[in-house]
Amino acid sequence: MFEHTKAFSGFSVDNLQKAKDFYQQTLGLKVTEEPMGLLLLHISGGNTILIYPKPDHTPATFTILNFPVADVEKTVDELTKLGVQFEHYEGDIKTDEKGIVRGYGHTVAWFKDPAGNILSVLEEE
């Protein structure tokens, strides 16, 4: 039924301007403004991700976007210099001092956008 459909994902934020600045200026993604107060993130391969405002926004408690990178540690260092703070977790998946998890499949680090949604950078295999 949907095998030829170009599906896309979307998520909410509480402040569109902060989201636009973060995704465009900090992460370096192309962001366009759409009618009705929407944003589109343009990612490799021609795919887009919809960002929409929601007055009663509650941040996602799971990872909404994963960014594959060649070197997680280098990317974490670069994003940290831009003011991004990485999450630190204890327990089964324990992060190191930089917020990086190693040895559980992918090397990965999680951070939040200005609306509190969880994002990650993970090392390409």
Tab-separated table of all heavy atoms in Angstrom, residues 17-61:
chain	number	residue	atom	x	y	z
A	17	GLN	N	11.398	29.736	16.492
A	17	GLN	CA	12.603	30.508	16.190
A	17	GLN	C	13.835	29.879	16.836
A	17	GLN	O	14.883	29.764	16.216
A	17	GLN	CB	12.461	31.967	16.640
A	17	GLN	CG	13.617	32.839	16.176
A	17	GLN	CD	13.783	32.862	14.649
A	17	GLN	OE1	12.833	33.114	13.907
A	17	GLN	NE2	14.996	32.579	14.164
A	18	LYS	N	13.713	29.447	18.086
A	18	LYS	CA	14.839	28.768	18.751
A	18	LYS	C	15.190	27.470	18.019
A	18	LYS	O	16.358	27.151	17.846
A	18	LYS	CB	14.507	28.456	20.207
A	18	LYS	CG	14.583	29.652	21.115
A	18	LYS	CD	14.318	29.237	22.562
A	18	LYS	CE	14.368	30.418	23.482
A	18	LYS	NZ	14.109	30.038	24.891
A	19	ALA	N	14.162	26.746	17.588
A	19	ALA	CA	14.400	25.503	16.842
A	19	ALA	C	15.111	25.807	15.530
A	19	ALA	O	16.093	25.149	15.175
A	19	ALA	CB	13.089	24.773	16.584
A	20	LYS	N	14.639	26.816	14.804
A	20	LYS	CA	15.255	27.172	13.530
A	20	LYS	C	16.722	27.545	13.730
A	20	LYS	O	17.603	27.067	13.008
A	20	LYS	CB	14.505	28.328	12.869
A	20	LYS	CG	15.093	28.722	11.534
A	20	LYS	CD	14.332	29.869	10.898
A	20	LYS	CE	14.965	30.214	9.559
A	20	LYS	NZ	14.370	31.420	8.982
A	21	ASP	N	16.997	28.385	14.713
A	21	ASP	CA	18.373	28.798	14.985
A	21	ASP	C	19.258	27.599	15.319
A	21	ASP	O	20.375	27.477	14.823
A	21	ASP	CB	18.424	29.807	16.130
A	21	ASP	CG	17.780	31.140	15.772
A	21	ASP	OD1	17.541	31.409	14.573
A	21	ASP	OD2	17.504	31.922	16.711
A	22	PHE	N	18.771	26.703	16.168
A	22	PHE	CA	19.549	25.549	16.589
A	22	PHE	C	19.850	24.613	15.418
A	22	PHE	O	20.999	24.244	15.181
A	22	PHE	CB	18.801	24.791	17.695
A	22	PHE	CG	19.507	23.550	18.154
A	22	PHE	CD1	20.594	23.619	18.999
A	22	PHE	CD2	19.069	22.305	17.745
A	22	PHE	CE1	21.246	22.469	19.422
A	22	PHE	CE2	19.704	21.146	18.163
A	22	PHE	CZ	20.802	21.232	19.007
A	23	TYR	N	18.814	24.218	14.702
A	23	TYR	CA	19.005	23.260	13.616
A	23	TYR	C	19.797	23.861	12.458
A	23	TYR	O	20.593	23.175	11.819
A	23	TYR	CB	17.663	22.695	13.145
A	23	TYR	CG	17.110	21.710	14.141
A	23	TYR	CD1	16.149	22.083	15.069
A	23	TYR	CD2	17.576	20.403	14.177
A	23	TYR	CE1	15.663	21.176	16.007
A	23	TYR	CE2	17.098	19.495	15.110
A	23	TYR	CZ	16.150	19.896	16.019
A	23	TYR	OH	15.683	18.996	16.942
A	24	GLN	N	19.614	25.150	12.211
A	24	GLN	CA	20.299	25.794	11.090
A	24	GLN	C	21.702	26.249	11.483
A	24	GLN	O	22.679	25.897	10.805
A	24	GLN	CB	19.471	26.997	10.627
A	24	GLN	CG	19.962	27.664	9.367
A	24	GLN	CD	18.937	28.632	8.849
A	24	GLN	OE1	18.015	28.241	8.154
A	24	GLN	NE2	19.071	29.882	9.214
A	25	GLN	N	21.821	27.003	12.552
A	25	GLN	CA	23.111	27.599	12.902
A	25	GLN	C	24.027	26.645	13.666
A	25	GLN	O	25.211	26.561	13.379
A	25	GLN	CB	22.890	28.880	13.696
A	25	GLN	CG	22.207	29.939	12.869
A	25	GLN	CD	21.799	31.157	13.673
A	25	GLN	OE1	22.155	31.312	14.834
A	25	GLN	NE2	21.034	32.035	13.058
A	26	THR	N	23.477	25.916	14.629
A	26	THR	CA	24.315	25.028	15.432
A	26	THR	C	24.607	23.725	14.709
A	26	THR	O	25.758	23.298	14.627
A	26	THR	CB	23.651	24.739	16.799
A	26	THR	OG1	23.384	25.983	17.461
A	26	THR	CG2	24.550	23.886	17.677
A	27	LEU	N	23.563	23.082	14.164
A	27	LEU	CA	23.759	21.789	13.515
A	27	LEU	C	24.094	21.897	12.032
A	27	LEU	O	24.511	20.921	11.416
A	27	LEU	CB	22.531	20.901	13.712
A	27	LEU	CG	22.175	20.569	15.165
A	27	LEU	CD1	21.036	19.559	15.206
A	27	LEU	CD2	23.375	20.067	15.952
A	28	GLY	N	23.887	23.067	11.429
A	28	GLY	CA	24.261	23.278	10.041
A	28	GLY	C	23.325	22.673	9.015
A	28	GLY	O	23.719	22.439	7.871
A	29	LEU	N	22.082	22.435	9.394
A	29	LEU	CA	21.102	21.883	8.462
A	29	LEU	C	20.394	22.995	7.698
A	29	LEU	O	20.229	24.113	8.215
A	29	LEU	CB	20.057	21.058	9.217
A	29	LEU	CG	20.567	19.798	9.903
A	29	LEU	CD1	19.491	19.220	10.797
A	29	LEU	CD2	21.007	18.774	8.874
A	30	LYS	N	19.950	22.700	6.509
A	30	LYS	CA	19.117	23.647	5.763
A	30	LYS	C	17.717	23.585	6.368
A	30	LYS	O	17.133	22.503	6.513
A	30	LYS	CB	19.066	23.277	4.285
A	30	LYS	CG	18.208	24.242	3.486
A	30	LYS	CD	18.150	23.871	2.024
A	30	LYS	CE	17.201	24.809	1.300
A	30	LYS	NZ	16.984	24.405	-0.084
A	31	VAL	N	17.191	24.741	6.717
A	31	VAL	CA	15.861	24.844	7.317
A	31	VAL	C	15.068	25.856	6.508
A	31	VAL	O	15.550	26.952	6.231
A	31	VAL	CB	15.941	25.319	8.792
A	31	VAL	CG1	14.553	25.454	9.399
A	31	VAL	CG2	16.810	24.375	9.617
A	32	THR	N	13.865	25.482	6.116
A	32	THR	CA	12.996	26.427	5.427
A	32	THR	C	11.713	26.610	6.228
A	32	THR	O	11.272	25.704	6.928
A	32	THR	CB	12.639	25.958	3.999
A	32	THR	OG1	12.053	24.652	4.048
A	32	THR	CG2	13.867	25.924	3.120
A	33	GLU	N	11.172	27.814	6.103
A	33	GLU	CA	9.903	28.121	6.757
A	33	GLU	C	8.785	27.826	5.777
A	33	GLU	O	8.863	28.180	4.601
A	33	GLU	CB	9.873	29.578	7.190
A	33	GLU	CG	10.899	29.879	8.263
A	33	GLU	CD	10.831	31.313	8.753
A	33	GLU	OE1	9.718	31.847	8.918
A	33	GLU	OE2	11.907	31.893	8.954
A	34	GLU	N	7.771	27.168	6.265
A	34	GLU	CA	6.626	26.796	5.460
A	34	GLU	C	5.393	27.568	5.935
A	34	GLU	O	5.379	28.096	7.043
A	34	GLU	CB	6.375	25.286	5.581
A	34	GLU	CG	7.508	24.437	5.039
A	34	GLU	CD	7.684	24.589	3.539
A	34	GLU	OE1	6.686	24.481	2.808
A	34	GLU	OE2	8.825	24.819	3.108
A	35	PRO	N	4.347	27.624	5.103
A	35	PRO	CA	3.113	28.276	5.531
A	35	PRO	C	2.558	27.643	6.813
A	35	PRO	O	2.885	26.506	7.151
A	35	PRO	CB	2.154	28.039	4.353
A	35	PRO	CG	3.023	27.756	3.187
A	35	PRO	CD	4.259	27.095	3.742
A	36	MET	N	1.760	28.377	7.497
A	36	MET	CA	1.079	27.917	8.708
A	36	MET	C	2.054	27.726	9.873
A	36	MET	O	1.806	26.955	10.787
A	36	MET	CB	0.282	26.631	8.458
A	36	MET	CG	-0.824	26.813	7.456
A	36	MET	SD	-1.722	25.318	6.985
A	36	MET	CE	-1.903	24.433	8.494
A	37	GLY	N	3.214	28.406	9.841
A	37	GLY	CA	4.135	28.355	10.955
A	37	GLY	C	4.835	27.032	11.134
A	37	GLY	O	4.977	26.544	12.258
A	38	LEU	N	5.280	26.432	10.054
A	38	LEU	CA	5.978	25.159	10.111
A	38	LEU	C	7.410	25.335	9.620
A	38	LEU	O	7.702	26.239	8.841
A	38	LEU	CB	5.283	24.125	9.228
A	38	LEU	CG	3.799	23.887	9.489
A	38	LEU	CD1	3.217	22.981	8.410
A	38	LEU	CD2	3.590	23.295	10.864
A	39	LEU	N	8.292	24.445	10.052
A	39	LEU	CA	9.657	24.411	9.548
A	39	LEU	C	9.902	23.062	8.893
A	39	LEU	O	9.329	22.056	9.314
A	39	LEU	CB	10.672	24.573	10.694
A	39	LEU	CG	10.662	25.865	11.481
A	39	LEU	CD1	11.680	25.786	12.619
A	39	LEU	CD2	10.957	27.054	10.581
A	40	LEU	N	10.765	23.059	7.886
A	40	LEU	CA	11.210	21.811	7.281
A	40	LEU	C	12.721	21.726	7.412
A	40	LEU	O	13.434	22.663	7.051
A	40	LEU	CB	10.840	21.738	5.806
A	40	LEU	CG	9.393	21.460	5.447
A	40	LEU	CD1	9.229	21.415	3.926
A	40	LEU	CD2	8.906	20.164	6.057
A	41	LEU	N	13.199	20.597	7.950
A	41	LEU	CA	14.621	20.287	7.951
A	41	LEU	C	14.892	19.512	6.677
A	41	LEU	O	14.196	18.540	6.380
A	41	LEU	CB	14.998	19.394	9.137
A	41	LEU	CG	14.820	19.910	10.538
A	41	LEU	CD1	15.311	18.861	11.538
A	41	LEU	CD2	15.567	21.204	10.730
A	42	HIS	N	15.894	19.927	5.936
A	42	HIS	CA	16.258	19.245	4.697
A	42	HIS	C	17.524	18.449	4.978
A	42	HIS	O	18.559	19.022	5.313
A	42	HIS	CB	16.482	20.255	3.578
A	42	HIS	CG	15.261	21.067	3.295
A	42	HIS	ND1	14.318	20.674	2.367
A	42	HIS	CD2	14.809	22.226	3.827
A	42	HIS	CE1	13.341	21.571	2.340
A	42	HIS	NE2	13.617	22.520	3.213
A	43	ILE	N	17.420	17.131	4.846
A	43	ILE	CA	18.560	16.272	5.118
A	43	ILE	C	18.971	15.540	3.848
A	43	ILE	O	18.238	15.528	2.855
A	43	ILE	CB	18.264	15.290	6.278
A	43	ILE	CG1	17.040	14.428	5.969
A	43	ILE	CG2	18.071	16.037	7.586
A	43	ILE	CD1	16.781	13.346	6.984
A	44	SER	N	20.125	14.944	3.886
A	44	SER	CA	20.685	14.252	2.736
A	44	SER	C	19.687	13.263	2.131
A	44	SER	O	18.895	12.656	2.835
A	44	SER	CB	21.945	13.511	3.172
A	44	SER	OG	22.540	12.876	2.084
A	45	GLY	N	19.743	13.127	0.832
A	45	GLY	CA	18.858	12.195	0.142
A	45	GLY	C	17.533	12.801	-0.265
A	45	GLY	O	16.657	12.109	-0.749
A	46	GLY	N	17.376	14.099	-0.042
A	46	GLY	CA	16.137	14.763	-0.415
A	46	GLY	C	15.004	14.601	0.577
A	46	GLY	O	13.866	14.978	0.295
A	47	ASN	N	15.297	14.024	1.721
A	47	ASN	CA	14.263	13.832	2.735
A	47	ASN	C	14.057	15.101	3.553
A	47	ASN	O	14.973	15.915	3.698
A	47	ASN	CB	14.643	12.681	3.670
A	47	ASN	CG	14.676	11.363	2.939
A	47	ASN	OD1	13.879	11.115	2.049
A	47	ASN	ND2	15.617	10.517	3.305
A	48	THR	N	12.860	15.249	4.076
A	48	THR	CA	12.559	16.395	4.938
A	48	THR	C	11.934	15.895	6.236
A	48	THR	O	11.341	14.817	6.284
A	48	THR	CB	11.587	17.381	4.263
A	48	THR	OG1	10.390	16.693	3.910
A	48	THR	CG2	12.205	18.035	3.040
A	49	ILE	N	12.089	16.713	7.257
A	49	ILE	CA	11.498	16.434	8.561
A	49	ILE	C	10.719	17.678	8.953
A	49	ILE	O	11.243	18.798	8.904
A	49	ILE	CB	12.585	16.115	9.599
A	49	ILE	CG1	13.361	14.863	9.174
A	49	ILE	CG2	11.972	15.950	10.982
A	49	ILE	CD1	14.636	14.638	9.934
A	50	LEU	N	9.482	17.489	9.334
A	50	LEU	CA	8.589	18.577	9.699
A	50	LEU	C	8.761	18.936	11.171
A	50	LEU	O	8.788	18.053	12.030
A	50	LEU	CB	7.143	18.151	9.440
A	50	LEU	CG	6.046	19.132	9.828
A	50	LEU	CD1	6.059	20.332	8.908
A	50	LEU	CD2	4.695	18.431	9.783
A	51	ILE	N	8.875	20.235	11.453
A	51	ILE	CA	8.882	20.729	12.836
A	51	ILE	C	7.683	21.658	12.967
A	51	ILE	O	7.514	22.577	12.162
A	51	ILE	CB	10.173	21.489	13.167
A	51	ILE	CG1	11.386	20.579	13.014
A	51	ILE	CG2	10.103	22.046	14.594
A	51	ILE	CD1	12.712	21.277	13.253
A	52	TYR	N	6.865	21.398	13.960
A	52	TYR	CA	5.663	22.195	14.122
A	52	TYR	C	5.564	22.712	15.559
A	52	TYR	O	6.023	22.068	16.500
A	52	TYR	CB	4.413	21.393	13.753
A	52	TYR	CG	4.256	20.097	14.509
A	52	TYR	CD1	3.498	20.041	15.684
A	52	TYR	CD2	4.858	18.927	14.058
A	52	TYR	CE1	3.358	18.842	16.380
A	52	TYR	CE2	4.716	17.732	14.739
A	52	TYR	CZ	3.967	17.704	15.906
A	52	TYR	OH	3.835	16.522	16.595
A	53	PRO	N	4.966	23.894	15.717
A	53	PRO	CA	4.819	24.447	17.063
A	53	PRO	C	3.660	23.781	17.789
A	53	PRO	O	2.650	23.415	17.181
A	53	PRO	CB	4.520	25.924	16.799
A	53	PRO	CG	3.821	25.924	15.477
A	53	PRO	CD	4.439	24.794	14.694
A	54	LYS	N	3.835	23.612	19.083
A	54	LYS	CA	2.776	23.047	19.901
A	54	LYS	C	2.815	23.769	21.254
A	54	LYS	O	3.784	23.628	21.994
A	54	LYS	CB	2.982	21.541	20.068
A	54	LYS	CG	1.830	20.838	20.738
A	54	LYS	CD	2.046	19.339	20.701
A	54	LYS	CE	0.864	18.673	21.395
A	54	LYS	NZ	1.242	17.437	22.050
A	55	PRO	N	1.781	24.533	21.555
A	55	PRO	CA	1.796	25.334	22.790
A	55	PRO	C	1.999	24.496	24.060
A	55	PRO	O	2.678	24.932	24.971
A	55	PRO	CB	0.430	26.015	22.799
A	55	PRO	CG	-0.047	25.963	21.394
A	55	PRO	CD	0.566	24.748	20.773
A	56	ASP	N	1.442	23.312	24.086
A	56	ASP	CA	1.591	22.466	25.281
A	56	ASP	C	2.629	21.368	25.025
A	56	ASP	O	2.514	20.255	25.537
A	56	ASP	CB	0.252	21.876	25.697
A	56	ASP	CG	-0.380	21.000	24.624
A	56	ASP	OD1	0.053	21.074	23.459
A	56	ASP	OD2	-1.307	20.243	24.950
A	57	HIS	N	3.666	21.712	24.259
A	57	HIS	CA	4.724	20.768	23.887
A	57	HIS	C	5.312	20.071	25.116
A	57	HIS	O	5.588	20.704	26.127
A	57	HIS	CB	5.840	21.503	23.149
A	57	HIS	CG	7.099	20.717	23.012
A	57	HIS	ND1	7.225	19.695	22.107
A	57	HIS	CD2	8.269	20.783	23.678
A	57	HIS	CE1	8.437	19.180	22.217
A	57	HIS	NE2	9.097	19.828	23.160
A	58	THR	N	5.463	18.779	24.997
A	58	THR	CA	6.185	17.974	25.974
A	58	THR	C	7.328	17.310	25.219
A	58	THR	O	7.093	16.645	24.210
A	58	THR	CB	5.265	16.892	26.590
A	58	THR	OG1	4.160	17.532	27.216
A	58	THR	CG2	6.019	16.054	27.606
A	59	PRO	N	8.573	17.486	25.685
A	59	PRO	CA	9.701	16.889	24.959
A	59	PRO	C	9.576	15.374	24.862
A	59	PRO	O	9.080	14.711	25.781
A	59	PRO	CB	10.914	17.258	25.815
A	59	PRO	CG	10.478	18.427	26.629
A	59	PRO	CD	9.005	18.241	26.860
A	60	ALA	N	10.050	14.840	23.755
A	60	ALA	CA	10.065	13.392	23.575
A	60	ALA	C	11.009	12.769	24.600
A	60	ALA	O	12.056	13.321	24.911
A	60	ALA	CB	10.524	13.047	22.162
A	61	THR	N	10.641	11.618	25.116
A	61	THR	CA	11.468	10.913	26.096
A	61	THR	C	12.308	9.833	25.422
A	61	THR	O	12.879	8.986	26.091
A	61	THR	CB	10.592	10.276	27.188
A	61	THR	OG1	9.656	9.392	26.566
A	61	THR	CG2	9.844	11.338	27.979
